[in-house]
Amino acid sequence: MRTFTITDRRTKVSRVICRRQVLSKALPALLQGYGEVFVFSDETVWNLYGRLVTRALGSVKVHTMPAGEAHKTPETLLSLLAAMAGAGLHRNACLVCLGGGVVGDIGGLAAALYMRGIACIQVPTTLLAQVDSSVGGKTAVDFCGVKNLVGAFSQPAYVLADPAFFATLPARELRCGLGEIVKHGALCAQIFDTLEQNRDKLFDLSFLADIVPANIAFKAGVVRRDAEEGGLRKCLNLGHTTAHAYELLDGTLSHGEYVLIGTFIEAEIARSHGGDGAYLSRLQALCLAVLGGMPSLPPPEEAARVACLDKKNTGRGRVVLTVPMSKGEYRLLELESTAYERELGRIGRALC
Ligand SMILES: NC(=O)c1ccc[n+]([C@@H]2O[C@H](COP(=O)([O-])OP(=O)(O)OC[C@H]3O[C@@H](n4cnc5c(N)ncnc54)[C@H](O)[C@@H]3O)[C@@H](O)[C@H]2O)c1
Ligand SMILES: [Zn+2]
């Protein structure tokens, strides 16, 4: 078992626990001090793991949502809040969020809002949710066509990360989580070396179980130093400016797959801005090993236009990228939108 602690500026302590059998061995004990327990999940995850939850907790109040990003809406949030109110939860209740990043983000926001904040325990069941979304206290729903537009920073009391959940994950969801893991590798030399040394077993469940704690430790370390994205936490945006632009324009791949493409492209941009070429080629090889090949990309002028609109950018026709430079090193690069478009065009032609 490994435990990591995050304390945010409101001195709220959040603990991430990595261990097996979280539902039967960890969750019941952690819930002891709370008044009522309410479980939020999606239909897919509840069908797979609901029986284990009721075996561990006895009969428990549950609310489920249909699976998928399309349902990460204010309507789903409101129906969860209505179910919590209908169950008569008090301020000392605890909301348990069992699922991927969608369930975690909506449930975390509901816990932050209900009675101005009740306790929340995150039980992330996807690789992406374990290494990324459940750690750090960002919660949100999509609104007016913009991803994560309405949300709050709110740390869960506990995150319980158990690799046993990976056994039922489709390969595509593993690839999605690996996108964020490769991003961590681009920021942290130790994670990069582990991934490179194990390139032939990136999808092995036992390898993934082994690397989850190091990835949580890395993200927790960043969040601990900058919980509300004042500076350092922006490093986690590596590859994401380009990823978000392609995701919005194309939308046929998973978020993690776009992160792999974005990391590949931004490594290429870094190459023409003083990055270490040999290292960047190794990072790109890792992206391709997970991705399995580069798909055709949307037109550069469209991608540049959409990137300028990204909420993390400054506006005024400029694009901010967090690019990898050398092993464990990154920099923020601000480009005129026309220069960014030229780079995307050049890279796109070279890939053809
Ligand atoms: N809060 C943050 O800091 C943060 C960071 C990154 C991503 N996110 C958010 O996370 C979301 C993506 O998360 P995700 O990739 O986990 O997606 P998801 O929650 O939609 O889960 C993906 C699919 O896997 C299914 N699933 C979940 N666990 C399973 C299991 N153990 N076995 C079989 N199927 C399972 C789900 O039902 C769903 O169909 C996005 O909304 C994104 O915005 C948030
Ligand atoms: Zn991401």
Side-chain angles (χ1 to χ4, degrees):
M1 178 167 102
R2 295 195 54 190
T3 304
F4 308 97
T5 305
I6 300 170
T7 312
D8 76 5
R9 106 187 135 89
R10 296 182 202 104
T11 64
K12 208 172 142 192
V13 176
S14 180
R15 289 206 166 78
V16 186
I17 299 173
C18 302
R19 61 160 297 166
R20 299 248 170 203
Q21 295 182 296
V22 290
L23 294 177
S24 58
K25 297 278 163 61
L27 191 56
L30 294 175
L31 287 170
Q32 295 264 307
Y34 296 105
E36 299 111 351
V37 176
F38 193 93
V39 178
F40 176 51
S41 190
D42 74 30
E43 285 156 11
T44 306
V45 174
W46 189 251
N47 283 337
L48 288 165
Y49 296 103
R51 205 162 336 136
L52 287 183
V53 174
T54 44
R55 199 181 298 159
L57 304 182
S59 74
V60 69
K61 292 164 186 156
V62 184
H63 182 75
T64 59
M65 61 172 283
E69 181 75 25
H71 301 280
K72 195 177 168 185
T73 58
E75 290 74 20
T76 305
L77 172 70
L78 290 177
S79 75
L80 169 59
L81 288 168
M84 290 161 70
L89 300 192
H90 296 93
R91 191 165 275 153
N92 62 351
C94 181
L95 181 70
V96 176
C97 304
L98 174 76
V102 168
V103 162
D105 278 14
I106 301 174
L109 182 55
L113 293 172
Y114 188 82
M115 290 194 167
R116 300 193 183 89
I118 62 167
C120 172
I121 294 182
Q122 295 279 357
V123 186
T125 60
T126 62
L127 180 59
L128 179 135
Q130 290 196 15
V131 298
D132 191 0
S133 65
S134 67
V135 180
K138 278 190 182 179
T139 72
V141 291
D142 303 338
F143 188 53
C144 288
V146 182
K147 244 177 93 85
N148 299 326
L149 188 65
V150 175
F153 284 101
S154 180
Q155 298 290 348
Y158 293 94
V159 178
L160 306 178
D162 182 344
F165 290 115
F166 302 158
T168 51
L169 271 184
R172 189 138 188 233
E173 298 301 336
L174 294 178
R175 185 176 299 117
C176 184
L178 274 163
E180 303 292 354
I181 289 173
V182 170
K183 176 193 80 178
H184 288 166
L187 295 163
C188 167
Q190 192 197 344
I191 294 177
F192 180 81
D193 287 340
T194 307
L195 293 173
E196 226 187 16
Q197 285 154 16
N198 293 279
R199 239 171 71 180
D200 54 335
K201 40 175 141 129
L202 293 173
F203 286 83
D204 283 9
L205 297 190
S206 62
F207 171 68
L208 292 172
D210 287 346
I211 59 167
V212 162
N215 278 271
I216 291 176
F218 172 73
K219 180 155 185 197
V222 172
V223 173
R224 206 178 291 130
R225 282 175 283 159
D226 178 22
E228 300 194 2
E229 206 162 304
L232 177 69
R233 196 167 173 171
K234 291 196 171 82
C235 75
L236 299 174
N237 203 36
L238 189 143
H240 276 61
T241 300
T242 306
H244 284 150
Y246 289 157
E247 197 169 357
L248 266 168
L249 285 169
D250 177 50
T252 53
L253 305 177
S254 72
H255 172 71
E257 288 167 322
Y258 287 113
V259 171
L260 291 162
I261 297 169
T263 303
F264 182 101
I265 301 278
E266 293 183 13
E268 202 53 42
I269 294 176
R271 198 189 292 277
S272 53
H273 288 81
D276 170 347
Y279 160 75
L280 292 170
S281 297
R282 286 161 61 196
L283 176 61
Q284 288 175 319
L286 210 45
C287 293
L288 290 179
V290 179
L291 207 49
M294 187 60 80
S296 63
L297 301 171
E301 59 280 11
E302 284 294 289
R305 180 183 61 76
V306 171
C308 283
L309 303 175
D310 193 310
K311 66 179 182 299
K312 291 199 170 154
N313 279 328
T314 52
R316 301 188 306 275
R318 298 178 79 79
V319 175
V320 182
L321 310 166
T322 304
V323 297
M325 294 301 284
S326 57
K327 204 203 271 188
E329 302 288 332
Y330 67 93
R331 71 175 266 210
L332 296 186
L333 188 65
E334 192 168 329
L335 294 180
E336 292 286 347
S337 134
T338 46
Y340 178 61
E341 182 183 325
R342 265 197 312 279
E343 292 277 15
L344 294 183
R346 172 181 71 78
I347 297 163
R349 284 190 297 279
L351 285 172
C352 282

